[in-house]
């Protein structure tokens, strides 16, 4: 190879490397760069809407998530309206119901479930009165399995296309051009694929009894997805307990408590962290969530 050709080769290689690095950096800045949430001293709001660090794995682009019940009302349980059909409490003025966080990655808001998704309660004293939220209460009305199945059905629906979703979004949000391009060509196709992947990952639940409102199988998803263990046919359906007076469960010199569903943990903090790991938190995002909570 002549000296001239060698120089051209290295220049082309360098140019290609610059393009690859610039492209990777652009993708990171647009879609994955964590944007710090403001710290808060409001512990109730932190519990109800704070991130547990699962937005990279479980986070749905906000505007896709927002319009799904309007596009696919027939997949919402019992013909009810919107996300309230899954038993979640949605306070007027909030961007999402109790039990969801909104975290910005790059330039895109992501919606993810948090601990309050299952641990929330509500009541009313008369049929015509509005419901009253009970933070960290027993989730007797919440139906996590119905929510999972809703997303799976949406992912299998042929109408889940960029044209249909964008048409619904733009009726309620004047989306800037760069965001339209990201949603149309990247986020909507990726979200549909994620729902279809979820259908495969949760196929095991069709061979078990339904969880029903107020109940969840907390460990089979961890076994089959996080730990990649084979399906052993076990049933782990359990009630979603309230999270009140947890200080009373702290270990002392004379006693410890058997915590979580199976009693294998004795530390409240470890129990909470392991639950978040099961819902998609990683070691990297765990450290990030600590910066937005109170000390």
């Amino acid at each position: 190879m002549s000296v001239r050709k060698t120089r051209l080769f290295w220049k082309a290689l360098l140019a290609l490397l610059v393009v690859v690095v610039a492209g990777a950096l652009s993708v990171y800045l647009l879609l994955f760069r964590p944007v710090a949430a403001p710290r808060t001293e409001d512990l109730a709001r932190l519990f109800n809407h704070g991130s547990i660090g699962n937005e990279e794995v479980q986070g749905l682009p906000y505007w896709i998530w927002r319009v799904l019940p309007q596009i696919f009302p027939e997949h919402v349980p019992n013909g009810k309206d919107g996300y309230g059909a899954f038993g979640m409490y949605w306070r007027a003025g909030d961007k999402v119901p109790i039990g969801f966080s909104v975290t910005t990655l790059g330039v895109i808001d992501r919606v993810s479930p948090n601990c309050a998704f299952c641990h929330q309660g509500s009541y009313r004293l008369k049929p015509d009165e509005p419901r009253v939220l009970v933070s960290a209460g027993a989730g007797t009305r919440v139906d996590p399995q119905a929510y999972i199945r809703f997303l799976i059905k949406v992912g299998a629906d042929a109408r889940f296309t960029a044209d249909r979703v964008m048409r619904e979004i733009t009726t309620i949000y004047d989306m800037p051009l760069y965001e339209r391009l990201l949603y149309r060509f990247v986020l909507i196709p990726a979200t549909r694929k994620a729902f279809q992947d979820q259908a495969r990952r949760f196929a095991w639940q069709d061979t078990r009894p339904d969880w029903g409102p107020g109940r969840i199988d907390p460990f089979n998803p961890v076994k089959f997805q996080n730990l990649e263990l084979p399906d052993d046919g076990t049933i782990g359906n359990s009630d979603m307990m309230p999270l009140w007076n947890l200080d009373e469960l702290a270990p002392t010199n004379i006693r410890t408590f058997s915590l979580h569903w199976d009693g294998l943990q004795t530390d409240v903090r470890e129990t909470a962290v392991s639950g978040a790991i099961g819902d998609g938190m990683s070691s990297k995002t765990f450290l990030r969530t600590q910066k937005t909570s109170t000390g």
Side-chain angles (χ1 to χ4, degrees):
M1 184 181 292
S2 66
V3 173
R4 182 172 179 275
K5 288 183 177 180
T6 300
R7 288 177 177 173
L8 288 175
F9 170 78
W10 286 111
K11 286 181 179 179
L13 185 62
L14 178 61
L16 178 61
L17 180 62
V18 170
V19 170
V20 170
V21 171
L25 181 61
S26 298
V27 169
Y28 172 75
L29 292 176
L30 287 171
L31 298 176
F32 298 107
R33 178 180 59 88
V35 177
R39 291 175 63 90
T40 178
E41 301 295 330
D42 186 342
L43 295 183
R45 183 160 189 83
L46 184 64
F47 178 78
N48 290 331
H49 292 298
S51 168
I52 61 172
N54 60 345
E55 51 274 355
E56 292 182 4
V57 176
Q58 299 281 355
L60 299 179
Y62 174 77
W63 289 108
I64 297 176
W65 175 89
R66 177 67 176 78
V67 300
L68 291 182
Q70 285 72 50
I71 301 175
F72 306 103
E74 66 276 16
H75 298 324
V76 177
N78 304 317
K80 295 183 179 179
D81 182 31
Y83 288 108
F86 305 104
M88 292 170 282
Y89 185 96
W90 199 329
R91 189 160 38 199
D94 282 352
K95 197 171 185 178
V96 290
I98 300 297
F100 286 96
S101 67
V102 179
T103 305
T104 303
L105 294 180
V107 296
I108 302 298
D109 285 347
R110 306 288 187 100
V111 180
S112 314
N114 67 5
C115 298
F117 185 99
C118 294
H119 302 287
Q120 60 171 286
S122 63
Y123 70 90
R124 54 187 176 188
L125 300 179
K126 297 179 181 179
D128 58 346
E129 288 184 349
R131 287 192 290 147
V132 177
L133 173 67
V134 182
S135 293
T140 54
R141 301 183 70 253
V142 181
D143 196 337
Q145 189 175 48
Y147 178 70
I148 292 170
R149 286 176 168 167
F150 168 71
L151 299 182
I152 289 173
K153 290 176 182 177
V154 167
D157 196 308
R159 295 171 299 161
F160 188 15
T161 64
D163 285 342
R164 182 67 185 89
V165 175
M166 289 303 300
R167 185 162 66 249
E168 193 70 29
I169 291 174
T170 53
T171 62
I172 59 174
Y173 172 46
D174 186 14
M175 185 175 281
L177 177 61
Y178 76 89
E179 200 170 1
R180 291 184 186 220
L181 294 175
L182 284 174
Y183 266 82
R184 176 174 289 277
F185 296 109
V186 179
L187 298 175
I188 294 173
T191 300
R192 183 176 186 185
K193 182 179 184 302
F195 289 166
Q196 293 169 348
D197 290 342
Q198 180 169 278
R200 289 187 287 271
R201 289 186 288 109
F202 278 91
W204 59 269
Q205 69 179 353
D206 295 332
T207 64
R208 271 59 164 197
D210 286 350
W211 303 346
R215 294 172 65 78
I216 191 171
D217 186 332
F219 286 104
N220 272 330
V222 177
K223 285 161 52 180
F224 305 149
Q225 297 172 31
N226 299 61
L227 302 179
E228 299 182 352
L229 298 176
D231 187 346
D232 55 5
T234 52
I235 299 171
N237 298 2
S238 62
D239 294 336
M240 296 185 293
M241 61 178 285
L243 302 182
W244 298 327
N245 297 325
L246 292 185
D247 285 345
E248 298 296 322
L249 300 180
T252 68
N253 292 332
I254 60 174
R255 65 176 184 177
T256 58
F257 291 91
S258 297
L259 305 176
H260 224 151
W261 179 81
D262 55 4
L264 291 180
Q265 293 171 318
T266 58
D267 182 83
V268 173
R269 180 178 174 82
E270 182 183 352
T271 302
V273 171
S274 64
I277 291 172
D279 286 331
M281 184 187 73
S282 67
S283 58
K284 177 180 68 175
T285 56
F286 168 73
L287 295 175
R288 189 165 71 230
T289 60
Q290 305 310 293
K291 298 177 182 179
T292 61
S293 60
T294 55

